[in-house]
Amino acid sequence: MKNLLICSLVLLFISCAENNNMSHTETAQIVAESFFSKNESALKKHTTAAGYSSLITGLNMMPESDKKIEVEILEESIDGEIAWVRYKTSFDGKTGIFKLVKENGQWKVTNKGPREKGSF
């Protein structure tokens, strides 16, 4: 019984620690998948407050879909604590671009400024 408890605690620790050091591309992939599958809790976890607010607005206008969404990272650029990721999803085949910033040591998707252009 003691070994089972120790194994359970170790697995819990590993699963919680797993997401702490994600790259900007991993974060972008999770946000894109979460957006198209309407997973609001995952969106909130991997976006800034402004990024979440913007994505939720778009999320409410999307039609329901049961198909599994696949995300392909096409390009990426990083400059210090700002990153840009261009991606394409199987949802509609269109490309999108996320701006990411480091917040408390973790990459998070955020809004880009009105005249701000990414690296590509």
Side-chain angles (χ1 to χ4, degrees), residues 1 5 9 15 25 45 49 59 69 72 76 79 82 94 101-103 107 114-115:
M1 187 67 163
L5 179 62
L9 289 173
S15 67
T25 54
K45 180 177 180 181
L59 186 76
I69 304 303
E72 178 184 358
E76 62 179 290
D79 185 16
I82 297 176
K94 295 181 180 178
V101 294
K102 281 258 180 140
E103 188 176 89
W107 287 107
R115 296 183 185 198

Side-chain angles (χ1 to χ4, degrees), residues 60-71:
N60 293 329
M61 292 185 249
M62 285 201 22
E64 293 290 328
S65 174
D66 291 338
K67 68 180 185 177
K68 177 161 172 42
I69 304 303
E70 294 185 28
V71 178

